[in-house]
Amino acid sequence: MPKKILLVTPRFPLPDAGACEQDRLEGMKQLKRLGFDVRVFAKAFQFQDRGSIARFSRDSGIPVELVGYEREKKRSWSGGAYFYLRRLFWPPYWDGAAYEYSHPETRSRFVRVLREWRPDAVWFDYTYLWPLYSVVRKMRIPVVTRSLNFEPVHFLQEDGRTFVNVIKSLPKFLSEWLTVRKSDWLFAITPREEAIYRRMGARRASTLPLRSLPKYLSENRTIHDERPLHVFFAGSTYTVSHNREALEFIVRKIAPELERHAPGAFIFHITGNKVPSDTAHDIRGPVRHDGFVEDWESFTDRMDIALVPSLFGAGMQQKIFEPLSRGIPTVTSSRGLADYPFRGDESVLLAETPDEFVGCLLRLRDIGLREKLSKNALLLSNQLFSRMKLDAIIGAGFDGIFTHPERARI
């Protein structure tokens, strides 16, 4: 009999427009492909299309149990007061994302699925789902956690290191600490974040990259020797702080300076929605806003260079690693690599300041350099992100839990 895995995830990842949603959706399919009997317990907002979720469930053979978000429910004045005041009496619940999973209806629905189905392991997407862990551990079922970013760092980098935000980050750090203590295996998303979890005491941990990357891999890429060169930045939405800051960095600092050095030699393409109006006024000349791109494959085939300033942000930024996986010559910031072993001048060009980014782009007029970066990026990406590699990472984790518990302490 196949092992039964109950996968618990926040907002069901349809539509799968963002990197997080793509990773979680691919994770469901991966566990099913690996031969596990998979069920999903997920939150869903009222605006989500239940029909598309039902079709995914039917087509994939993965039953889905949906539960609504507590914060969307209508309550009386006294019920609403209790809902919010209850958080004050237990500091771990000051993290609102974790608090969502502490409520009686969510817990009772979750317990019912556990008791009726009796899974062999429960997989949790995101570390803030820890309020449900105690139920699983009481039933002596192994807990697997997939971290998509280290939440305190992510929050502070996105919202700023103000005194108030530092205070707000403390319950998020507590969530991470509780997750480390209660997980039988923890899959971090980058080597850098795996190291953080190990310093916090995680002994059963490994790095699991974005599971959407294998579909972008190829053995080679044709590098064209044409002018102008087409450079792109792929932000999904500019309501996200690190996307917005990177966009402004490109539009106001990199593109104008590059045009002064090499007029007409480069065209910049900006994809994604919700560009701030003040930034939109500066998108002119060699910079174009392509918005939502329907045919992404054709679009990336036409691009010569990926430009991805990584000024801040935690986790694994798909806008960096997807171009590398496609063999598109990429210019980015060293911090954005998150300790994945891509090397400057070998498989990627690294820059920090506007002048350095401009210098890298000017160097990439050399087709020989672009061919070298493409070849090496493809070679390393296939070693790190292939389906076989990611399946092996998952397999080793479950092997450690189910078969060789003494080897799980890696």
Side-chain angles (χ1 to χ4, degrees):
M1 291 287 292
K3 295 288 188 182
K4 296 190 290 187
I5 308 297
L6 178 62
L7 192 155
V8 187
T9 196
R11 182 180 71 81
F12 194 89
L14 284 177
D16 58 340
C20 163
E21 290 80 10
Q22 292 175 28
D23 177 78
R24 291 188 288 128
L25 199 67
E26 288 299 324
M28 297 174 191
K29 298 175 184 177
Q30 180 189 37
L31 291 175
K32 184 72 174 180
R33 192 185 68 251
L34 288 173
F36 294 108
D37 186 0
V38 182
R39 292 196 179 193
V40 172
F41 182 89
K43 289 277 185 176
F45 285 110
Q46 293 173 2
F47 68 80
Q48 288 187 261
D49 181 2
R50 299 301 199 273
S52 65
I53 297 173
R55 285 191 295 274
F56 168 83
S57 176
R58 182 182 62 250
D59 295 344
S60 64
I62 300 174
V64 177
E65 175 99 2
L66 294 178
V67 59
Y69 274 90
E70 294 288 335
R71 61 179 178 268
E72 286 192 324
K73 293 181 178 179
K74 293 182 179 179
R75 292 179 169 83
S76 64
W77 183 89
S78 58
Y82 174 76
F83 177 79
Y84 290 105
L85 289 173
R86 178 171 171 261
R87 293 177 61 185
L88 298 178
F89 297 101
W90 181 231
Y93 289 162
W94 295 353
D95 180 358
Y99 184 55
E100 178 68 39
Y101 292 86
S102 70
H103 301 289
E105 182 176 343
T106 298
R107 290 176 67 88
S108 64
R109 294 270 299 274
F110 180 65
V111 169
R112 179 174 58 79
V113 174
L114 285 177
R115 288 177 175 167
E116 290 178 357
W117 198 49
R118 299 295 302 187
D120 296 290
V122 180
W123 174 297
F124 290 93
D125 284 327
Y126 278 107
T127 54
Y128 56 69
L129 306 186
W130 62 263
L132 299 178
Y133 287 23
S134 58
V135 178
V136 182
R137 295 188 68 84
K138 285 179 182 177
M139 298 177 69
R140 298 186 179 278
I141 300 172
V143 170
V144 179
T145 302
R146 195 304 193 257
S147 168
L148 280 143
N149 52 59
F150 187 69
E151 285 289 335
V153 171
H154 176 72
F155 172 73
L156 289 173
Q157 292 192 1
E158 291 292 331
D159 289 54
R161 289 181 176 273
T162 65
F163 175 77
V164 171
N165 284 345
V166 169
I167 298 300
K168 288 182 177 180
S169 74
L170 295 179
K172 294 183 180 295
F173 182 85
L174 183 55
S175 286
E176 299 286 349
W177 185 86
L178 288 167
T179 298
V180 167
R181 295 299 180 274
K182 294 176 180 289
S183 297
D184 293 281
W185 198 282
L186 196 151
F187 289 109
I189 198 166
T190 67
R192 181 176 298 164
E193 294 193 0
E194 181 188 342
I196 292 174
Y197 287 118
R198 288 189 177 278
R199 288 196 295 270
M200 292 178 66
R203 292 179 294 179
R204 301 181 176 191
S206 53
T207 297
L208 177 63
L210 284 168
R211 289 163 289 180
S212 57
L213 292 178
K215 64 185 178 184
Y216 304 125
L217 293 170
S218 63
E219 294 299 322
N220 56 70
R221 180 181 178 87
T222 301
I223 303 299
H224 301 285
D225 191 13
E226 298 176 358
R227 294 293 184 273
L229 292 172
H230 291 267
V231 182
F232 77 105
F233 174 72
S236 57
T237 175
Y238 295 98
T239 58
V240 176
S241 298
H242 68 260
N243 284 344
R244 185 172 60 252
E245 293 293 327
L247 172 64
E248 294 174 357
F249 191 71
I250 291 170
V251 170
R252 294 174 177 165
K253 297 183 179 181
I254 297 176
E257 186 66 19
L258 187 65
E259 183 68 6
R260 280 193 287 272
H261 281 82
F266 297 86
I267 295 176
F268 292 83
H269 297 264
I270 306 298
T271 71
N273 298 316
K274 300 183 180 179
V275 172
S277 57
D278 59 334
T279 307
H281 290 311
D282 295 325
I283 296 179
R284 56 181 181 268
V287 185
R288 302 173 180 175
H289 180 216
D290 294 279
F292 175 76
V293 177
E294 189 73 36
D295 188 349
W296 187 248
E297 292 299 318
S298 296
F299 175 81
T300 53
D301 283 346
R302 297 194 306 271
M303 295 297 106
D304 298 294
I305 301 166
L307 176 63
V308 199
S310 179
L311 308 180
F312 55 89
M316 186 180 188
Q317 296 183 33
Q318 183 168 318
K319 66 179 69 66
I320 296 174
F321 293 95
E322 181 187 331
L324 291 169
S325 297
R326 291 181 180 273
I328 301 174
T330 299
V331 186
T332 189
S333 313
S334 57
R335 66 165 307 282
L337 295 175
D339 292 344
Y340 279 104
F342 292 88
R343 301 289 179 245
D345 287 348
E346 293 181 9
S347 49
V348 65
L349 292 187
L350 299 176
E352 310 301 332
T353 67
D355 286 345
E356 289 175 352
F357 276 100
V358 169
C360 288
L361 290 168
L362 292 172
R363 290 179 61 195
L364 286 172
R365 291 178 294 181
D366 178 0
I367 188 174
L369 177 58
R370 298 203 308 277
E371 289 174 337
K372 171 188 171 182
L373 294 176
S374 177
K375 178 182 176 181
N376 291 338
L378 281 173
L379 181 63
L380 185 54
S381 294
N382 276 281
Q383 293 172 0
L384 295 173
F385 309 137
S386 71
R387 176 171 289 181
M388 183 180 298
K389 176 66 174 178
L390 270 54
D391 286 353
I393 293 169
I394 296 287
F398 281 115
D399 181 61
I401 291 170
F402 294 139
T403 312
H404 301 291
E406 74 281 357
R407 284 164 47 193
R409 300 178 182 275
I410 61 175

Short mmCIF file of all heavy atoms in Angstrom, two decimals, residues 5-43:
data_model
loop_
_atom_site.label_atom_id
_atom_site.label_comp_id
_atom_site.label_asym_id
_atom_site.label_seq_id
_atom_site.Cartn_x
_atom_site.Cartn_y
_atom_site.Cartn_z
N ILE A 5 -0.08 10.75 2.43
CA ILE A 5 0.45 12.05 2.83
C ILE A 5 -0.70 13.07 2.80
O ILE A 5 -1.33 13.28 1.76
CB ILE A 5 1.56 12.54 1.87
CG1 ILE A 5 2.65 11.47 1.70
CG2 ILE A 5 2.15 13.86 2.40
CD1 ILE A 5 3.39 11.11 2.95
N LEU A 6 -0.97 13.68 3.94
CA LEU A 6 -1.91 14.79 4.00
C LEU A 6 -1.12 16.08 3.86
O LEU A 6 -0.25 16.37 4.68
CB LEU A 6 -2.68 14.78 5.32
CG LEU A 6 -3.67 15.94 5.52
CD1 LEU A 6 -4.77 15.91 4.46
CD2 LEU A 6 -4.27 15.91 6.92
N LEU A 7 -1.41 16.84 2.82
CA LEU A 7 -0.68 18.08 2.54
C LEU A 7 -1.55 19.26 2.98
O LEU A 7 -2.66 19.43 2.49
CB LEU A 7 -0.35 18.17 1.05
CG LEU A 7 0.65 19.24 0.62
CD1 LEU A 7 1.34 18.84 -0.67
CD2 LEU A 7 -0.03 20.60 0.43
N VAL A 8 -1.03 20.05 3.91
CA VAL A 8 -1.76 21.20 4.45
C VAL A 8 -1.13 22.46 3.88
O VAL A 8 0.08 22.69 4.03
CB VAL A 8 -1.72 21.23 5.99
CG1 VAL A 8 -2.61 22.33 6.53
CG2 VAL A 8 -2.13 19.87 6.56
N THR A 9 -1.94 23.29 3.24
CA THR A 9 -1.40 24.47 2.56
C THR A 9 -2.31 25.66 2.81
O THR A 9 -3.52 25.49 3.05
CB THR A 9 -1.25 24.18 1.05
OG1 THR A 9 -0.39 25.16 0.46
CG2 THR A 9 -2.59 24.17 0.33
N PRO A 10 -1.77 26.89 2.78
CA PRO A 10 -2.63 28.07 2.90
C PRO A 10 -3.50 28.21 1.64
O PRO A 10 -3.78 27.22 0.98
CB PRO A 10 -1.64 29.23 3.03
CG PRO A 10 -0.32 28.61 3.34
CD PRO A 10 -0.36 27.24 2.74
N ARG A 11 -3.88 29.42 1.30
CA ARG A 11 -4.75 29.66 0.16
C ARG A 11 -4.44 28.70 -0.99
O ARG A 11 -3.31 28.64 -1.47
CB ARG A 11 -4.60 31.10 -0.34
CG ARG A 11 -5.53 31.43 -1.51
CD ARG A 11 -5.33 32.86 -1.96
NE ARG A 11 -4.06 33.05 -2.63
CZ ARG A 11 -3.82 32.76 -3.92
NH1 ARG A 11 -4.78 32.21 -4.64
NH2 ARG A 11 -2.64 32.98 -4.44
N PHE A 12 -5.44 27.91 -1.41
CA PHE A 12 -5.19 26.93 -2.46
C PHE A 12 -4.56 27.64 -3.66
O PHE A 12 -5.05 28.67 -4.11
CB PHE A 12 -6.48 26.22 -2.86
CG PHE A 12 -6.22 24.98 -3.67
CD1 PHE A 12 -6.04 23.76 -3.05
CD2 PHE A 12 -6.10 25.06 -5.05
CE1 PHE A 12 -5.75 22.62 -3.79
CE2 PHE A 12 -5.80 23.93 -5.80
CZ PHE A 12 -5.63 22.70 -5.17
N PRO A 13 -3.46 27.07 -4.20
CA PRO A 13 -2.63 27.80 -5.17
C PRO A 13 -3.18 27.84 -6.60
O PRO A 13 -2.48 27.55 -7.56
CB PRO A 13 -1.30 27.05 -5.11
CG PRO A 13 -1.65 25.66 -4.72
CD PRO A 13 -2.82 25.79 -3.79
N LEU A 14 -4.46 28.19 -6.73
CA LEU A 14 -5.05 28.47 -8.04
C LEU A 14 -5.81 29.79 -7.92
O LEU A 14 -6.61 29.95 -6.99
CB LEU A 14 -6.01 27.35 -8.47
CG LEU A 14 -5.37 26.06 -8.98
CD1 LEU A 14 -6.44 25.03 -9.29
CD2 LEU A 14 -4.50 26.30 -10.21
N PRO A 15 -5.55 30.72 -8.83
CA PRO A 15 -4.62 30.64 -9.96
C PRO A 15 -3.17 30.62 -9.49
O PRO A 15 -2.85 31.15 -8.42
CB PRO A 15 -4.92 31.90 -10.76
CG PRO A 15 -5.47 32.86 -9.75
CD PRO A 15 -6.24 32.03 -8.77
N ASP A 16 -2.31 30.00 -10.30
CA ASP A 16 -0.90 29.82 -9.91
C ASP A 16 -0.02 30.85 -10.62
O ASP A 16 0.93 30.51 -11.31
CB ASP A 16 -0.43 28.40 -10.22
CG ASP A 16 -0.60 28.03 -11.69
OD1 ASP A 16 -1.39 28.69 -12.39
OD2 ASP A 16 0.08 27.09 -12.15
N ALA A 17 -0.33 32.13 -10.40
CA ALA A 17 0.39 33.20 -11.09
C ALA A 17 1.77 33.46 -10.49
O ALA A 17 2.71 33.80 -11.21
CB ALA A 17 -0.43 34.48 -11.08
N GLY A 18 1.91 33.32 -9.18
CA GLY A 18 3.17 33.65 -8.52
C GLY A 18 4.06 32.44 -8.29
O GLY A 18 3.63 31.29 -8.42
N ALA A 19 5.32 32.71 -7.94
CA ALA A 19 6.29 31.63 -7.71
C ALA A 19 5.86 30.73 -6.56
O ALA A 19 6.03 29.51 -6.61
CB ALA A 19 7.67 32.23 -7.43
N CYS A 20 5.30 31.32 -5.49
CA CYS A 20 4.85 30.54 -4.34
C CYS A 20 3.76 29.56 -4.75
O CYS A 20 3.81 28.38 -4.41
CB CYS A 20 4.35 31.47 -3.25
SG CYS A 20 3.34 30.66 -2.00
N GLU A 21 2.77 30.07 -5.49
CA GLU A 21 1.66 29.22 -5.91
C GLU A 21 2.14 28.11 -6.84
O GLU A 21 1.71 26.96 -6.73
CB GLU A 21 0.58 30.05 -6.60
CG GLU A 21 -0.19 30.98 -5.69
CD GLU A 21 0.56 32.27 -5.38
OE1 GLU A 21 1.59 32.53 -6.03
OE2 GLU A 21 0.11 33.01 -4.50
N GLN A 22 3.03 28.44 -7.76
CA GLN A 22 3.55 27.43 -8.67
C GLN A 22 4.31 26.35 -7.93
O GLN A 22 4.18 25.16 -8.22
CB GLN A 22 4.46 28.10 -9.72
CG GLN A 22 3.73 29.00 -10.69
CD GLN A 22 4.66 29.74 -11.62
OE1 GLN A 22 5.75 29.27 -11.92
NE2 GLN A 22 4.24 30.91 -12.08
N ASP A 23 5.10 26.76 -6.93
CA ASP A 23 5.86 25.79 -6.15
C ASP A 23 4.94 24.84 -5.41
O ASP A 23 5.13 23.62 -5.42
CB ASP A 23 6.77 26.53 -5.16
CG ASP A 23 7.54 25.57 -4.26
OD1 ASP A 23 8.54 25.00 -4.73
OD2 ASP A 23 7.14 25.37 -3.10
N ARG A 24 3.91 25.38 -4.77
CA ARG A 24 3.01 24.54 -3.97
C ARG A 24 2.18 23.61 -4.85
O ARG A 24 1.95 22.45 -4.50
CB ARG A 24 2.13 25.41 -3.08
CG ARG A 24 2.92 26.10 -1.97
CD ARG A 24 2.03 26.81 -0.99
NE ARG A 24 1.42 28.01 -1.52
CZ ARG A 24 0.12 28.27 -1.48
NH1 ARG A 24 -0.72 27.38 -0.97
NH2 ARG A 24 -0.35 29.41 -1.96
N LEU A 25 1.73 24.12 -6.00
CA LEU A 25 0.95 23.27 -6.89
C LEU A 25 1.81 22.14 -7.46
O LEU A 25 1.37 20.98 -7.53
CB LEU A 25 0.37 24.11 -8.03
CG LEU A 25 -0.81 23.50 -8.78
CD1 LEU A 25 -2.03 23.40 -7.86
CD2 LEU A 25 -1.15 24.33 -10.01
N GLU A 26 3.05 22.47 -7.85
CA GLU A 26 3.96 21.43 -8.34
C GLU A 26 4.27 20.43 -7.25
O GLU A 26 4.47 19.24 -7.52
CB GLU A 26 5.25 22.07 -8.86
CG GLU A 26 5.10 22.82 -10.17
CD GLU A 26 4.64 21.94 -11.31
OE1 GLU A 26 5.06 20.75 -11.37
OE2 GLU A 26 3.87 22.41 -12.16
N GLY A 27 4.30 20.89 -5.98
CA GLY A 27 4.57 19.98 -4.87
C GLY A 27 3.49 18.93 -4.72
O GLY A 27 3.78 17.76 -4.42
N MET A 28 2.23 19.33 -4.91
CA MET A 28 1.14 18.35 -4.84
C MET A 28 1.31 17.29 -5.93
O MET A 28 1.20 16.08 -5.68
CB MET A 28 -0.21 19.07 -5.03
CG MET A 28 -0.54 20.08 -3.97
SD MET A 28 -2.07 20.99 -4.37
CE MET A 28 -2.00 22.29 -3.13
N LYS A 29 1.58 17.77 -7.14
CA LYS A 29 1.73 16.84 -8.27
C LYS A 29 2.95 15.94 -8.07
O LYS A 29 2.91 14.75 -8.42
CB LYS A 29 1.89 17.63 -9.58
CG LYS A 29 0.71 18.50 -9.93
CD LYS A 29 1.04 19.33 -11.17
CE LYS A 29 -0.07 20.31 -11.53
NZ LYS A 29 0.29 21.15 -12.69
N GLN A 30 4.02 16.50 -7.50
CA GLN A 30 5.24 15.72 -7.29
C GLN A 30 4.99 14.55 -6.33
O GLN A 30 5.39 13.42 -6.61
CB GLN A 30 6.35 16.62 -6.75
CG GLN A 30 7.66 15.88 -6.50
CD GLN A 30 8.67 16.74 -5.76
OE1 GLN A 30 8.31 17.53 -4.87
NE2 GLN A 30 9.93 16.62 -6.13
N LEU A 31 4.34 14.82 -5.21
CA LEU A 31 4.08 13.75 -4.24
C LEU A 31 3.21 12.66 -4.86
O LEU A 31 3.43 11.47 -4.63
CB LEU A 31 3.42 14.32 -2.99
CG LEU A 31 4.29 15.22 -2.12
CD1 LEU A 31 3.47 15.81 -0.97
CD2 LEU A 31 5.49 14.47 -1.57
N LYS A 32 2.23 13.08 -5.66
CA LYS A 32 1.39 12.10 -6.34
C LYS A 32 2.21 11.28 -7.34
O LYS A 32 2.09 10.05 -7.42
CB LYS A 32 0.26 12.82 -7.07
CG LYS A 32 -0.76 11.90 -7.74
CD LYS A 32 -1.63 11.21 -6.72
CE LYS A 32 -2.74 10.41 -7.39
NZ LYS A 32 -3.59 9.72 -6.40
N ARG A 33 3.07 11.95 -8.10
CA ARG A 33 3.91 11.27 -9.09
C ARG A 33 4.88 10.29 -8.43
O ARG A 33 5.21 9.25 -9.02
CB ARG A 33 4.69 12.31 -9.90
CG ARG A 33 5.37 11.76 -11.14
CD ARG A 33 6.22 12.78 -11.84
NE ARG A 33 7.38 13.17 -11.09
CZ ARG A 33 7.56 14.33 -10.50
NH1 ARG A 33 6.62 15.27 -10.57
NH2 ARG A 33 8.66 14.60 -9.83
N LEU A 34 5.32 10.60 -7.23
CA LEU A 34 6.26 9.73 -6.52
C LEU A 34 5.58 8.50 -5.93
O LEU A 34 6.25 7.66 -5.32
CB LEU A 34 6.97 10.52 -5.41
CG LEU A 34 8.00 11.55 -5.89
CD1 LEU A 34 8.50 12.39 -4.73
CD2 LEU A 34 9.16 10.87 -6.59
N GLY A 35 4.28 8.38 -6.11
CA GLY A 35 3.58 7.17 -5.70
C GLY A 35 2.87 7.25 -4.37
O GLY A 35 2.33 6.25 -3.88
N PHE A 36 2.85 8.46 -3.75
CA PHE A 36 2.14 8.61 -2.50
C PHE A 36 0.64 8.78 -2.75
O PHE A 36 0.22 9.28 -3.81
CB PHE A 36 2.65 9.83 -1.72
CG PHE A 36 4.07 9.70 -1.26
CD1 PHE A 36 5.08 10.45 -1.85
CD2 PHE A 36 4.41 8.84 -0.22
CE1 PHE A 36 6.39 10.35 -1.43
CE2 PHE A 36 5.72 8.73 0.21
CZ PHE A 36 6.72 9.47 -0.40
N ASP A 37 -0.16 8.38 -1.80
CA ASP A 37 -1.58 8.66 -1.80
C ASP A 37 -1.73 10.03 -1.13
O ASP A 37 -1.45 10.17 0.06
CB ASP A 37 -2.33 7.57 -1.03
CG ASP A 37 -3.83 7.72 -1.11
OD1 ASP A 37 -4.31 8.66 -1.78
OD2 ASP A 37 -4.54 6.90 -0.50
N VAL A 38 -2.16 11.04 -1.88
CA VAL A 38 -2.11 12.42 -1.43
C VAL A 38 -3.52 12.99 -1.24
O VAL A 38 -4.40 12.79 -2.09
CB VAL A 38 -1.33 13.30 -2.43
CG1 VAL A 38 -1.23 14.74 -1.93
CG2 VAL A 38 0.06 12.73 -2.68
N ARG A 39 -3.71 13.69 -0.15
CA ARG A 39 -4.90 14.51 0.06
C ARG A 39 -4.45 15.90 0.49
O ARG A 39 -3.39 16.05 1.11
CB ARG A 39 -5.81 13.91 1.12
CG ARG A 39 -6.46 12.61 0.69
CD ARG A 39 -7.63 12.23 1.56
NE ARG A 39 -8.25 11.00 1.10
CZ ARG A 39 -9.43 10.55 1.51
NH1 ARG A 39 -10.11 11.24 2.40
NH2 ARG A 39 -9.92 9.43 1.04
N VAL A 40 -5.27 16.90 0.18
CA VAL A 40 -4.92 18.29 0.48
C VAL A 40 -5.97 18.89 1.40
O VAL A 40 -7.18 18.74 1.19
CB VAL A 40 -4.82 19.12 -0.82
CG1 VAL A 40 -4.64 20.61 -0.49
CG2 VAL A 40 -3.66 18.63 -1.68
N PHE A 41 -5.48 19.56 2.44
CA PHE A 41 -6.32 20.36 3.35
C PHE A 41 -5.88 21.79 3.17
O PHE A 41 -4.73 22.14 3.49
CB PHE A 41 -6.11 19.89 4.79
CG PHE A 41 -6.96 20.59 5.81
CD1 PHE A 41 -8.23 20.10 6.13
CD2 PHE A 41 -6.52 21.74 6.44
CE1 PHE A 41 -9.02 20.73 7.08
CE2 PHE A 41 -7.30 22.38 7.38
CZ PHE A 41 -8.56 21.88 7.70
N ALA A 42 -6.77 22.65 2.63
CA ALA A 42 -6.34 23.99 2.24
C ALA A 42 -7.35 25.04 2.66
O ALA A 42 -8.56 24.79 2.73
CB ALA A 42 -6.13 24.06 0.74
N LYS A 43 -6.85 26.24 2.90
CA LYS A 43 -7.70 27.40 3.08
C LYS A 43 -8.12 27.93 1.70
O LYS A 43 -7.44 27.71 0.69
CB LYS A 43 -6.95 28.50 3.83
CG LYS A 43 -6.69 28.19 5.30
CD LYS A 43 -7.89 28.53 6.16
CE LYS A 43 -7.61 28.35 7.64
NZ LYS A 43 -8.75 28.78 8.47
#
